[in-house]
Coordinates of all heavy atoms in Angstrom, one line a residue:
M681 N 45.5 136.4 16.3 CA 44.9 135.1 16.6 C 44.6 134.3 15.3 O 44.0 134.9 14.4 CB 43.6 135.3 17.3 CG 42.9 134.1 17.8 SD 41.5 134.7 18.9 CE 41.1 133.1 19.5
P682 N 45.1 133.1 15.1 CA 45.0 132.4 13.9 C 43.5 131.9 13.7 O 42.8 131.7 14.6 CB 45.9 131.1 14.0 CG 46.1 131.0 15.5 CD 45.9 132.4 16.1
N683 N 43.2 131.8 12.4 CA 41.8 131.3 12.1 C 41.7 129.8 12.4 O 42.7 129.0 12.1 CB 41.5 131.5 10.6 CG 41.3 132.9 10.3 OD1 40.9 133.7 11.1 ND2 41.6 133.3 9.0
P684 N 40.6 129.3 13.0 CA 40.5 127.9 13.3 C 40.4 127.1 11.9 O 39.8 127.6 11.0 CB 39.2 127.8 14.1 CG 38.5 129.0 13.8 CD 39.5 130.1 13.4
T685 N 41.0 126.0 11.9 CA 40.9 125.1 10.7 C 39.6 124.4 10.7 O 39.2 123.8 11.7 CB 42.1 124.1 10.7 OG1 43.3 124.8 10.8 CG2 42.0 123.3 9.5
R686 N 38.9 124.4 9.6 CA 37.7 123.7 9.5 C 37.9 122.5 8.6 O 38.7 122.6 7.6 CB 36.6 124.6 8.9 CG 36.2 125.7 9.8 CD 35.0 126.4 9.3 NE 34.8 127.6 10.1 CZ 33.6 128.1 10.3 NH1 32.6 127.5 9.8 NH2 33.4 129.1 11.1
S687 N 37.2 121.4 8.9 CA 37.3 120.2 8.0 C 35.9 119.7 7.8 O 35.0 120.0 8.6 CB 38.3 119.2 8.6 OG 37.8 118.8 9.9
T688 N 35.8 118.9 6.8 CA 34.6 118.3 6.5 C 34.6 116.8 6.8 O 35.6 116.1 6.5 CB 34.3 118.4 5.0 OG1 34.3 119.8 4.6 CG2 32.9 117.8 4.6
Y689 N 33.6 116.3 7.5 CA 33.5 114.9 7.9 C 32.9 114.2 6.7 O 31.8 114.5 6.3 CB 32.7 114.7 9.1 CG 32.4 113.3 9.4 CD1 33.4 112.4 9.9 CD2 31.2 112.7 9.2 CE1 33.2 111.1 10.1 CE2 30.9 111.4 9.5 CZ 31.9 110.6 9.9 OH 31.7 109.3 10.2
T690 N 33.6 113.2 6.2 CA 33.1 112.3 5.2 C 32.9 110.9 5.8 O 33.9 110.3 6.2 CB 34.0 112.2 4.0 OG1 34.3 113.5 3.5 CG2 33.4 111.4 2.9
P691 N 31.7 110.5 6.0 CA 31.4 109.2 6.6 C 32.0 108.0 5.7 O 32.0 108.1 4.5 CB 29.9 109.1 6.7 CG 29.4 110.0 5.7 CD 30.4 111.1 5.5
D692 N 32.5 107.0 6.4 CA 33.0 105.8 5.8 C 31.8 105.0 5.4 O 31.0 104.7 6.2 CB 33.9 105.1 6.7 CG 34.7 104.0 6.1 OD1 34.1 103.2 5.3 OD2 35.9 103.9 6.3
H693 N 31.7 104.6 4.1 CA 30.6 103.9 3.7 C 30.9 102.4 3.6 O 30.1 101.6 3.0 CB 30.1 104.4 2.3 CG 29.6 105.8 2.3 ND1 28.4 106.1 2.9 CD2 30.1 106.9 1.9 CE1 28.2 107.4 2.9 NE2 29.3 107.9 2.2
L694 N 31.9 102.0 4.2 CA 32.3 100.5 4.3 C 32.3 100.0 5.7 O 31.7 99.0 6.0 CB 33.6 100.3 3.6 CG 34.1 98.8 3.6 CD1 33.1 97.9 2.9 CD2 35.5 98.7 3.0
I695 N 33.1 100.7 6.6 CA 33.3 100.2 7.9 C 32.0 100.5 8.8 O 31.4 101.6 8.7 CB 34.5 100.9 8.6 CG1 35.7 100.6 7.7 CG2 34.7 100.4 10.0 CD1 36.1 99.1 7.5
A696 N 31.6 99.5 9.6 CA 30.5 99.6 10.5 C 30.9 99.1 11.8 O 31.6 98.1 12.0 CB 29.3 98.7 10.0
G697 N 30.5 99.9 12.9 CA 30.9 99.4 14.2 C 32.3 99.6 14.6 O 33.1 100.1 13.8
D698 N 32.7 99.0 15.7 CA 34.1 99.1 16.2 C 34.7 97.8 16.5 O 35.6 97.7 17.3 CB 34.1 100.1 17.4 CG 33.2 99.6 18.5 OD1 32.6 98.5 18.4 OD2 33.1 100.3 19.5
F699 N 34.2 96.7 15.8 CA 34.9 95.4 16.0 C 36.3 95.6 15.5 O 36.6 96.2 14.5 CB 34.1 94.4 15.2 CG 34.6 93.0 15.4 CD1 34.1 92.3 16.5 CD2 35.5 92.4 14.6 CE1 34.5 91.0 16.7 CE2 35.9 91.1 14.8 CZ 35.4 90.4 15.9
P700 N 37.3 95.0 16.2 CA 38.7 95.1 15.8 C 38.9 94.8 14.3 O 38.5 93.7 13.9 CB 39.4 94.2 16.7 CG 38.5 94.0 17.9 CD 37.1 94.1 17.4
Q701 N 39.6 95.6 13.6 CA 40.0 95.4 12.2 C 41.4 94.8 12.2 O 42.3 95.3 12.8 CB 39.9 96.7 11.4 CG 38.6 97.3 11.4 CD 38.6 98.6 10.6 OE1 39.6 99.0 10.0 NE2 37.6 99.4 10.8
V702 N 41.5 93.8 11.4 CA 42.8 93.2 11.1 C 43.0 93.4 9.6 O 42.2 92.9 8.8 CB 43.0 91.8 11.5 CG1 44.3 91.2 11.1 CG2 42.8 91.7 13.0
K703 N 44.1 94.0 9.2 CA 44.4 94.2 7.7 C 45.7 93.6 7.4 O 46.6 93.5 8.3 CB 44.4 95.7 7.4 CG 43.1 96.3 7.7 CD 43.2 97.8 7.4 CE 41.9 98.5 7.8 NZ 41.9 99.9 7.5
E704 N 45.9 93.2 6.1 CA 47.2 92.7 5.7 C 47.2 92.9 4.2 O 46.2 93.1 3.5 CB 47.4 91.3 6.1 CG 47.2 90.2 5.1 CD 47.5 88.8 5.6 OE1 48.0 88.6 6.7 OE2 47.2 87.9 4.8
S705 N 48.4 92.9 3.6 CA 48.5 93.1 2.2 C 48.5 91.7 1.5 O 48.9 90.7 2.1 CB 49.9 93.7 1.9 OG 50.1 94.0 0.5
G706 N 47.9 91.7 0.3 CA 47.9 90.5 -0.5 C 48.0 90.9 -1.9 O 47.8 92.0 -2.3
V707 N 48.3 89.9 -2.8 CA 48.5 90.2 -4.2 C 47.1 90.1 -4.9 O 46.4 89.1 -4.8 CB 49.5 89.2 -4.8 CG1 49.6 89.4 -6.3 CG2 50.8 89.3 -4.2
I708 N 46.7 91.2 -5.5 CA 45.5 91.2 -6.3 C 45.8 90.8 -7.7 O 46.7 91.4 -8.4 CB 44.9 92.6 -6.3 CG1 44.8 93.2 -4.8 CG2 43.5 92.6 -6.9 CD1 44.1 92.3 -3.8
A709 N 45.1 89.8 -8.2 CA 45.3 89.3 -9.6 C 45.2 90.3 -10.7 O 44.4 91.3 -10.5 CB 44.4 88.1 -9.8
A710 N 46.0 90.1 -11.7 CA 46.0 91.1 -12.8 C 44.6 91.1 -13.6 O 43.8 90.2 -13.5 CB 47.1 90.7 -13.8
G711 N 44.4 92.2 -14.2 CA 43.2 92.4 -15.1 C 42.0 92.9 -14.4 O 40.9 92.6 -15.0
Q712 N 42.1 93.5 -13.3 CA 40.9 94.0 -12.6 C 41.0 95.4 -12.2 O 42.0 96.0 -12.0 CB 40.7 93.2 -11.3 CG 40.7 91.7 -11.4 CD 40.6 91.0 -10.1 OE1 39.5 90.7 -9.6 NE2 41.8 90.8 -9.4
Q713 N 39.8 96.1 -12.2 CA 39.7 97.4 -11.6 C 38.6 97.3 -10.5 O 37.4 97.0 -10.8 CB 39.2 98.4 -12.7 CG 40.3 98.8 -13.7 CD 39.8 99.9 -14.6 OE1 38.6 100.0 -15.0 NE2 40.7 100.7 -15.1
L714 N 39.1 97.3 -9.3 CA 38.2 97.1 -8.2 C 38.1 98.3 -7.2 O 39.1 99.0 -7.0 CB 38.7 95.9 -7.4 CG 38.8 94.5 -8.2 CD1 39.6 93.5 -7.3 CD2 37.5 94.0 -8.6
A715 N 36.9 98.4 -6.7 CA 36.7 99.5 -5.7 C 36.9 99.0 -4.3 O 36.7 97.8 -4.1 CB 35.3 100.1 -5.9
R716 N 37.2 99.9 -3.4 CA 37.2 99.5 -2.0 C 35.9 98.9 -1.6 O 34.8 99.4 -2.0 CB 37.4 100.8 -1.2 CG 37.5 100.5 0.3 CD 37.8 101.8 1.1 NE 38.0 101.5 2.5 CZ 37.3 102.0 3.5 NH1 36.4 103.0 3.2 NH2 37.6 101.7 4.7
G717 N 35.9 97.8 -0.9 CA 34.7 97.1 -0.6 C 34.4 95.9 -1.4 O 33.4 95.1 -1.2
A718 N 35.2 95.6 -2.4 CA 35.1 94.4 -3.3 C 35.3 93.2 -2.4 O 36.3 93.1 -1.7 CB 36.0 94.5 -4.5
V719 N 34.4 92.2 -2.6 CA 34.5 90.9 -1.9 C 35.4 90.0 -2.7 O 35.0 89.7 -3.9 CB 33.2 90.3 -1.6 CG1 33.3 89.0 -0.9 CG2 32.3 91.3 -0.7
L720 N 36.5 89.6 -2.2 CA 37.5 88.8 -2.9 C 37.6 87.4 -2.5 O 37.3 87.0 -1.3 CB 38.9 89.4 -2.8 CG 39.0 90.9 -3.1 CD1 40.4 91.4 -2.9 CD2 38.5 91.2 -4.5
G721 N 37.9 86.5 -3.4 CA 38.2 85.1 -3.1 C 39.7 84.9 -3.5 O 40.3 85.7 -4.2
K722 N 40.2 83.8 -3.0 CA 41.7 83.5 -3.1 C 41.8 82.3 -4.1 O 41.2 81.3 -3.9 CB 42.3 83.1 -1.8 CG 43.8 83.0 -1.8 CD 44.3 82.8 -0.4 CE 45.8 82.9 -0.4 NZ 46.3 82.7 1.0
V723 N 42.6 82.6 -5.2 CA 42.8 81.5 -6.2 C 43.8 80.5 -5.6 O 44.8 80.8 -5.1 CB 43.5 82.1 -7.5 CG1 43.8 81.1 -8.5 CG2 42.6 83.2 -8.1
T724 N 43.3 79.3 -5.6 CA 44.1 78.2 -4.9 C 45.5 78.0 -5.5 O 46.4 77.8 -4.8 CB 43.3 76.9 -5.0 OG1 42.0 77.1 -4.4 CG2 44.0 75.8 -4.3
A725 N 45.6 78.1 -6.8 CA 46.8 77.7 -7.5 C 48.0 78.7 -7.2 O 49.1 78.3 -7.1 CB 46.6 77.7 -9.0
D726 N 47.6 80.0 -7.1 CA 48.7 81.0 -6.9 C 48.6 81.9 -5.7 O 49.5 82.7 -5.4 CB 48.9 81.9 -8.2 CG 47.6 82.7 -8.6 OD1 46.7 82.8 -7.7 OD2 47.6 83.2 -9.7
G727 N 47.5 81.8 -5.0 CA 47.3 82.6 -3.8 C 46.9 84.0 -4.0 O 46.9 84.8 -3.1
Q728 N 46.7 84.4 -5.3 CA 46.3 85.8 -5.5 C 44.8 85.9 -5.3 O 44.0 85.0 -5.4 CB 46.6 86.1 -7.0 CG 48.1 86.2 -7.2 CD 48.5 86.6 -8.6 OE1 47.7 87.1 -9.4 NE2 49.8 86.5 -8.9
Y729 N 44.4 87.2 -5.1 CA 43.0 87.5 -4.8 C 42.3 88.1 -6.0 O 42.9 88.9 -6.8 CB 42.9 88.5 -3.7 CG 43.3 87.8 -2.4 CD1 44.6 87.9 -2.0 CD2 42.4 87.2 -1.5 CE1 45.1 87.4 -0.8 CE2 42.9 86.6 -0.3 CZ 44.2 86.7 0.0 OH 44.6 86.1 1.2
K730 N 41.0 87.7 -6.3 CA 40.3 88.4 -7.3 C 38.8 88.4 -6.9 O 38.4 87.8 -5.9 CB 40.4 87.6 -8.7 CG 39.9 86.2 -8.7 CD 40.2 85.7 -10.1 CE 39.6 84.3 -10.4 NZ 39.9 83.9 -11.7
L731 N 38.0 89.2 -7.6 CA 36.6 89.4 -7.3 C 36.0 88.0 -7.2 O 36.1 87.2 -8.2 CB 35.9 90.3 -8.3 CG 34.5 90.6 -8.0 CD1 34.3 91.5 -6.7 CD2 33.8 91.3 -9.2
S732 N 35.3 87.7 -6.1 CA 34.7 86.4 -6.0 C 33.5 86.2 -6.8 O 32.5 87.0 -6.7 CB 34.4 86.2 -4.5 OG 33.8 84.9 -4.3
L733 N 33.5 85.3 -7.7 CA 32.3 85.0 -8.6 C 31.8 83.6 -8.1 O 32.6 82.6 -8.1 CB 32.7 84.9 -10.1 CG 33.4 86.2 -10.6 CD1 33.9 85.9 -12.1 CD2 32.5 87.4 -10.5
A734 N 30.5 83.5 -7.9 CA 30.0 82.2 -7.4 C 30.2 81.1 -8.3 O 30.4 79.9 -7.9 CB 28.5 82.4 -7.1
A735 N 30.3 81.3 -9.6 CA 30.5 80.2 -10.6 C 32.0 79.9 -10.8 O 32.3 79.0 -11.6 CB 29.8 80.5 -11.9
A736 N 32.9 80.6 -10.2 CA 34.3 80.3 -10.4 C 34.6 78.9 -9.9 O 33.9 78.3 -9.1 CB 35.2 81.3 -9.7
A737 N 35.7 78.3 -10.4 CA 36.1 77.0 -10.0 C 37.6 76.9 -9.7 O 38.2 75.9 -9.8 CB 35.8 76.0 -11.1
D738 N 38.2 78.0 -9.3 CA 39.6 78.1 -9.0 C 39.9 78.4 -7.5 O 41.0 78.7 -7.2 CB 40.3 79.1 -9.9 CG 39.7 80.5 -9.7 OD1 38.8 80.7 -8.9 OD2 40.1 81.5 -10.5
G739 N 38.9 78.3 -6.7 CA 39.0 78.7 -5.3 C 38.5 80.0 -4.9 O 38.1 80.3 -3.8
S740 N 38.5 80.9 -5.9 CA 38.0 82.3 -5.7 C 36.5 82.4 -5.5 O 36.0 83.5 -5.2 CB 38.5 83.2 -6.8 OG 37.9 83.0 -8.0
E741 N 35.8 81.3 -5.7 CA 34.4 81.4 -5.6 C 33.9 81.5 -4.1 O 32.8 81.9 -3.8 CB 33.7 80.1 -6.2 CG 34.0 78.8 -5.5 CD 35.3 78.2 -6.0 OE1 36.1 78.8 -6.8 OE2 35.6 77.0 -5.6
V742 N 34.9 81.3 -3.2 CA 34.6 81.4 -1.8 C 35.1 82.8 -1.3 O 36.3 83.1 -1.4 CB 35.3 80.3 -1.0 CG1 35.1 80.5 0.5 CG2 34.9 78.9 -1.5
P743 N 34.2 83.6 -0.8 CA 34.6 84.9 -0.3 C 35.4 84.8 0.9 O 35.0 84.1 1.8 CB 33.2 85.6 0.0 CG 32.2 84.9 -0.7 CD 32.7 83.5 -0.8
V744 N 36.6 85.5 0.9 CA 37.5 85.4 2.1 C 37.9 86.7 2.7 O 38.3 86.7 3.9 CB 38.7 84.5 1.8 CG1 38.2 83.0 1.6 CG2 39.5 85.0 0.6
V745 N 37.9 87.8 1.9 CA 38.4 89.1 2.4 C 37.6 90.2 1.7 O 37.0 90.0 0.7 CB 39.9 89.3 2.1 CG1 40.8 88.3 2.9 CG2 40.3 89.2 0.7
V746 N 37.8 91.4 2.2 CA 37.2 92.6 1.6 C 38.4 93.5 1.3 O 39.3 93.8 2.1 CB 36.2 93.3 2.5 CG1 35.7 94.6 2.0 CG2 35.0 92.4 2.8
L747 N 38.4 94.0 0.0 CA 39.4 95.0 -0.4 C 39.3 96.3 0.4 O 38.2 96.8 0.4 CB 39.3 95.2 -1.9 CG 40.4 96.0 -2.6 CD1 41.8 95.4 -2.4 CD2 40.1 96.2 -4.0
D748 N 40.4 96.8 0.9 CA 40.3 98.0 1.7 C 40.7 99.3 1.0 O 40.8 100.4 1.6 CB 41.1 97.8 3.0 CG 40.7 98.8 4.0 OD1 39.5 99.1 4.2 OD2 41.6 99.3 4.8
A749 N 40.9 99.2 -0.3 CA 41.3 100.5 -1.1 C 41.0 100.2 -2.6 O 41.1 99.0 -3.0 CB 42.7 100.9 -0.9
D750 N 40.7 101.2 -3.3 CA 40.5 101.0 -4.8 C 41.9 100.5 -5.4 O 42.9 100.9 -4.9 CB 40.2 102.3 -5.5 CG 38.8 102.9 -5.0 OD1 38.1 102.2 -4.3 OD2 38.6 104.0 -5.4
I751 N 41.8 99.7 -6.4 CA 43.0 99.2 -7.0 C 42.7 98.9 -8.5 O 41.6 98.5 -8.9 CB 43.5 97.9 -6.3 CG1 45.0 97.6 -6.8 CG2 42.6 96.7 -6.5 CD1 45.7 96.6 -5.9
D752 N 43.8 99.1 -9.3 CA 43.7 98.9 -10.8 C 44.9 98.0 -11.1 O 46.0 98.3 -11.0 CB 43.8 100.2 -11.5 CG 43.7 100.0 -13.0 OD1 43.8 98.8 -13.5 OD2 43.6 101.0 -13.7
T753 N 44.6 96.7 -11.5 CA 45.6 95.8 -11.8 C 45.6 95.4 -13.3 O 46.0 94.3 -13.7 CB 45.5 94.5 -10.9 OG1 44.2 93.8 -11.2 CG2 45.6 94.8 -9.5
T754 N 45.1 96.3 -14.1 CA 45.0 96.0 -15.5 C 46.4 96.0 -16.1 O 46.6 95.3 -17.2 CB 44.2 97.1 -16.3 OG1 44.7 98.4 -16.0 CG2 42.7 97.0 -15.9
G755 N 47.4 96.5 -15.5 CA 48.8 96.5 -15.9 C 49.6 95.3 -15.3 O 50.8 95.1 -15.6
G756 N 49.0 94.5 -14.5 CA 49.6 93.4 -13.8 C 49.2 93.3 -12.4 O 48.7 94.2 -11.8
A757 N 49.5 92.1 -11.8 CA 49.1 91.9 -10.4 C 49.9 92.9 -9.5 O 51.0 93.3 -9.9 CB 49.5 90.5 -10.0
A758 N 49.2 93.3 -8.4 CA 49.8 94.3 -7.5 C 49.4 94.0 -6.1 O 48.3 93.4 -5.9 CB 49.3 95.7 -8.0
P759 N 50.2 94.5 -5.1 CA 49.8 94.3 -3.7 C 48.6 95.3 -3.4 O 48.6 96.4 -3.9 CB 51.0 94.7 -3.0 CG 51.8 95.5 -3.9 CD 51.5 95.1 -5.3
G760 N 47.7 94.8 -2.6 CA 46.6 95.7 -2.1 C 46.2 95.4 -0.7 O 46.5 94.3 -0.2
P761 N 45.6 96.3 0.0 CA 45.3 96.1 1.4 C 44.0 95.3 1.5 O 43.0 95.6 0.8 CB 45.1 97.6 1.9 CG 44.7 98.3 0.7 CD 45.4 97.7 -0.5
L762 N 44.0 94.4 2.4 CA 42.9 93.5 2.6 C 42.3 93.6 4.0 O 43.1 93.6 5.0 CB 43.3 92.0 2.3 CG 43.9 91.8 1.0 CD1 44.4 90.3 0.9 CD2 42.9 92.0 -0.2
L763 N 41.0 93.6 4.2 CA 40.4 93.6 5.5 C 40.1 92.2 5.8 O 39.3 91.5 5.1 CB 39.1 94.5 5.4 CG 38.4 94.7 6.7 CD1 39.3 95.4 7.8 CD2 37.2 95.5 6.5
L764 N 40.7 91.6 6.9 CA 40.6 90.2 7.3 C 39.5 90.1 8.3 O 38.8 89.1 8.4 CB 41.9 89.7 7.8 CG 43.1 89.7 6.9 CD1 44.3 89.2 7.6 CD2 42.8 89.0 5.6
T765 N 39.4 91.0 9.2 CA 38.3 91.0 10.3 C 37.8 92.4 10.5 O 38.4 93.4 10.1 CB 38.9 90.5 11.6 OG1 39.8 91.5 12.2 CG2 39.5 89.2 11.5
G766 N 36.6 92.5 11.0 CA 35.9 93.8 11.3 C 34.5 93.7 10.9 O 33.9 92.6 10.7
E767 N 33.8 94.9 10.9 CA 32.4 95.0 10.6 C 32.3 95.9 9.4 O 32.9 97.0 9.3 CB 31.6 95.6 11.7 CG 31.5 94.7 12.9 CD 30.8 95.4 14.0 OE1 29.5 95.3 14.1 OE2 31.4 96.1 14.9
V768 N 31.6 95.5 8.4 CA 31.4 96.2 7.2 C 29.9 96.4 6.8 O 29.1 95.5 7.3 CB 32.1 95.6 5.9 CG1 33.6 95.6 6.1 CG2 31.6 94.2 5.7
L769 N 29.6 97.4 6.1 CA 28.2 97.6 5.7 C 27.9 96.9 4.4 O 28.7 97.0 3.5 CB 27.9 99.1 5.5 CG 28.0 100.0 6.7 CD1 27.9 101.5 6.3 CD2 26.9 99.7 7.7
G770 N 26.9 96.1 4.4 CA 26.5 95.4 3.1 C 26.4 96.3 1.9 O 26.7 96.0 0.8
S771 N 25.9 97.5 2.2 CA 25.7 98.5 1.1 C 27.0 99.0 0.6 O 27.0 99.6 -0.5 CB 24.8 99.6 1.6 OG 25.5 100.3 2.7
G772 N 28.1 98.8 1.3 CA 29.4 99.3 0.8 C 30.2 98.2 0.1 O 31.3 98.5 -0.3
L773 N 29.6 97.0 -0.1 CA 30.3 95.9 -0.7 C 30.1 95.9 -2.2 O 29.0 96.2 -2.7 CB 29.9 94.6 -0.1 CG 30.2 94.4 1.4 CD1 29.6 93.1 1.9 CD2 31.7 94.5 1.7
T774 N 31.1 95.4 -3.0 CA 30.9 95.1 -4.4 C 31.0 93.6 -4.5 O 31.9 93.0 -4.1 CB 32.1 95.7 -5.2 OG1 32.1 97.2 -5.0 CG2 32.0 95.4 -6.7
L775 N 29.9 93.1 -5.0 CA 29.8 91.6 -5.1 C 29.9 91.1 -6.6 O 29.5 91.8 -7.5 CB 28.4 91.2 -4.6 CG 28.0 91.7 -3.2 CD1 26.6 91.3 -2.9 CD2 29.0 91.1 -2.2
G776 N 30.6 90.0 -6.7 CA 30.7 89.4 -8.0 C 29.5 88.6 -8.4 O 28.6 88.4 -7.5
A777 N 29.3 88.3 -9.6 CA 28.1 87.6 -10.2 C 27.8 86.4 -9.4 O 28.7 85.6 -9.0 CB 28.4 87.2 -11.6
G778 N 26.6 86.2 -9.0 CA 26.1 85.0 -8.3 C 26.1 85.1 -6.8 O 25.6 84.3 -6.1
H779 N 26.7 86.2 -6.3 CA 26.7 86.4 -4.8 C 25.7 87.4 -4.5 O 25.3 88.3 -5.2 CB 28.1 86.9 -4.4 CG 29.2 85.9 -4.3 ND1 29.0 84.7 -3.5 CD2 30.4 85.8 -4.9 CE1 30.1 84.0 -3.7 NE2 30.9 84.6 -4.5
T780 N 25.2 87.3 -3.2 CA 24.3 88.3 -2.6 C 24.9 88.7 -1.3 O 25.8 88.0 -0.8 CB 22.9 87.7 -2.4 OG1 23.0 86.6 -1.4 CG2 22.3 87.1 -3.7
V781 N 24.4 89.8 -0.7 CA 24.8 90.2 0.6 C 24.7 89.0 1.6 O 25.5 88.7 2.4 CB 24.1 91.5 1.1 CG1 24.4 91.8 2.5 CG2 24.5 92.7 0.2
A782 N 23.5 88.3 1.5 CA 23.3 87.2 2.4 C 24.3 86.1 2.2 O 24.8 85.5 3.2 CB 21.9 86.7 2.2
S783 N 24.6 85.8 1.0 CA 25.6 84.7 0.8 C 27.0 85.0 1.2 O 27.7 84.2 1.8 CB 25.6 84.2 -0.7 OG 26.2 85.2 -1.5
V784 N 27.4 86.3 1.0 CA 28.8 86.6 1.5 C 28.8 86.8 3.0 O 29.8 86.6 3.6 CB 29.4 87.8 0.7 CG1 29.5 87.5 -0.8 CG2 28.6 89.1 1.0
K785 N 27.7 87.3 3.5 CA 27.6 87.5 5.0 C 27.8 86.1 5.7 O 28.6 86.1 6.6 CB 26.2 88.0 5.3 CG 26.0 88.3 6.8 CD 24.6 88.9 7.1 CE 24.4 89.2 8.5 NZ 23.2 89.9 8.7
A786 N 27.2 85.1 5.2 CA 27.4 83.8 5.8 C 28.8 83.3 5.7 O 29.4 82.8 6.7 CB 26.4 82.8 5.2
A787 N 29.4 83.5 4.6 CA 30.8 83.0 4.3 C 31.8 83.8 5.2 O 32.7 83.2 5.8 CB 31.2 83.1 2.9
L788 N 31.7 85.1 5.2 CA 32.6 86.0 5.9 C 32.5 85.9 7.4 O 33.5 86.1 8.1 CB 32.5 87.4 5.4 CG 32.8 87.6 3.9 CD1 32.5 89.1 3.5 CD2 34.3 87.3 3.6
R789 N 31.3 85.6 7.9 CA 31.1 85.6 9.3 C 32.0 84.5 10.0 O 32.5 84.7 11.1 CB 29.6 85.2 9.6 CG 29.3 85.1 11.1 CD 27.9 84.8 11.4 NE 27.2 84.7 10.1 CZ 25.9 84.7 10.0 NH1 25.1 84.8 10.9 NH2 25.4 84.5 8.8
L790 N 32.2 83.4 9.3 CA 33.1 82.4 9.8 C 34.5 82.9 10.0 O 35.3 82.3 10.7 CB 33.1 81.2 8.9 CG 31.7 80.5 8.7 CD1 31.8 79.4 7.6 CD2 31.2 79.9 10.0
L791 N 34.9 84.0 9.3 CA 36.2 84.5 9.3 C 36.3 85.8 10.2 O 37.3 86.5 10.2 CB 36.7 84.8 7.9 CG 36.6 83.7 6.9 CD1 36.8 84.1 5.5 CD2 37.6 82.6 7.3
S792 N 35.3 86.0 11.0 CA 35.2 87.2 11.9 C 35.1 88.5 11.1 O 35.7 89.5 11.5 CB 36.3 87.3 12.9 OG 36.2 86.2 13.8
L793 N 34.5 88.4 9.9 CA 34.3 89.6 9.1 C 32.8 89.7 9.0 O 32.1 88.9 8.4 CB 34.9 89.5 7.7 CG 35.1 90.8 6.9 CD1 36.4 91.5 7.5 CD2 35.4 90.5 5.5
F794 N 32.2 90.7 9.7 CA 30.7 90.7 9.9 C 30.1 91.8 9.0 O 30.5 92.9 9.0 CB 30.4 91.1 11.4 CG 31.0 90.1 12.3 CD1 32.2 90.3 13.0 CD2 30.4 88.9 12.6 CE1 32.7 89.3 13.9 CE2 30.9 87.9 13.4 CZ 32.1 88.1 14.1
V795 N 29.1 91.4 8.3 CA 28.4 92.2 7.4 C 27.1 92.7 8.0 O 26.3 91.9 8.5 CB 28.0 91.5 6.0 CG1 27.2 92.4 5.1 CG2 29.3 91.0 5.4
R796 N 26.9 94.0 8.1 CA 25.7 94.6 8.8 C 24.8 95.2 7.7 O 25.1 95.5 6.7 CB 26.2 95.7 9.7 CG 27.1 95.3 10.8 CD 26.4 94.5 11.8 NE 27.4 94.1 12.8 CZ 27.4 92.8 13.3 NH1 26.5 92.0 12.9 NH2 28.3 92.5 14.2

């Protein structure tokens, strides 16, 4: 009789609830090391995503997506998975300077990305 396989449950510290998740790939701008859960804005000029900073003036100041995997683009822009809709835990988000959980919650709610 074979030994039963045991596994360890590791809770997801980003996803909350069971609201439908929609994901897509997008180009993450060069020069960043970002963790899963980073709140990103979209640069108007080239359509690439970068960590949303409230003081930015290139379009990325508006939070629009949440990064769904760690990524390192220090060697150049690269494709990365983006969470477009769903429910996320505020404690699992990485926020750029000038943003708070409350400020990104309001912006992302309009896009069906709910922060709990």
